[in-house]
Amino acid sequence: QVQLVESGGGLVQVGGSLLLSCAASGRSFGGSTMAWFRQPPGQEREIVAAITMSPYYTASVKGRFTISRDNDKNTVYLQMSNLRPEDTAAYYCAARNGGGFYTTPRWYDYWGQGTQVTVSS
């Protein structure tokens, strides 16, 4: 059974930093796309970043967020810096059975339970 477990969310002030982690179990995702999505209250889930061999970022987080992966640990990370109130959302880890950059949720096969990030001003 495949599981993705996120950790690292919390409450942070504007300009602060957080490191999100997503540990996968049940199969290796070394050659697959892994991604972070977020869903603000009352809004649709949106892509934040994705990674296969190289990273993809949505425009609003470029230069502030960094996605990385450790294939030996089957884990993907999202380092978030210079956080803004509009970054407040539930953050979800996702994984595909294959590669490629896909920005909509329907292309991802596995999901974590989510971790809340709240940025206070």
Side-chain angles (χ1 to χ4, degrees), residues 1 4 34-35 95:
Q1 180 182 358
L4 304 179
M34 299 190 76

Side-chain angles (χ1 to χ4, degrees), residues 9 18 20 24 39 48 102 114:
L18 282 174
L20 303 184
Q39 188 165 15
V48 176
Y102 295 88

Side-chain angles (χ1 to χ4, degrees), residues 43-61:
Q43 299 184 38
E44 294 186 350
R45 196 167 295 189
E46 61 180 9
I47 186 83
V48 176
I51 187 167
T52 54
M53 298 297 291
S54 56
Y56 161 89
Y57 299 97
T58 195
S60 64
V61 307

Side-chain angles (χ1 to χ4, degrees), residues 9-95:
L11 174 65
V12 64
Q13 292 187 333
V14 169
S17 300
L18 282 174
L19 174 65
L20 303 184
S21 301
C22 172
S25 61
R27 61 154 283 184
S28 171
F29 287 98
S32 303
T33 301
M34 299 190 76
W36 288 95
F37 285 78
R38 65 187 179 189
Q39 188 165 15
Q43 299 184 38
E44 294 186 350
R45 196 167 295 189
E46 61 180 9
I47 186 83
V48 176
I51 187 167
T52 54
M53 298 297 291
S54 56
Y56 161 89
Y57 299 97
T58 195
S60 64
V61 307
K62 279 183 180 178
R64 301 189 298 123
F65 291 10
T66 302
I67 189 171
S68 61
R69 67 193 301 168
D70 185 333
N71 290 335
D72 290 339
K73 294 182 179 179
N74 218 18
T75 299
V76 65
Y77 304 95
L78 185 67
Q79 176 67 56
M80 305 186 294
S81 302
N82 193 17
L83 284 159
R84 304 168 180 169
E86 55 265 37
D87 295 318
T88 294
Y91 282 70
Y92 296 89
C93 175

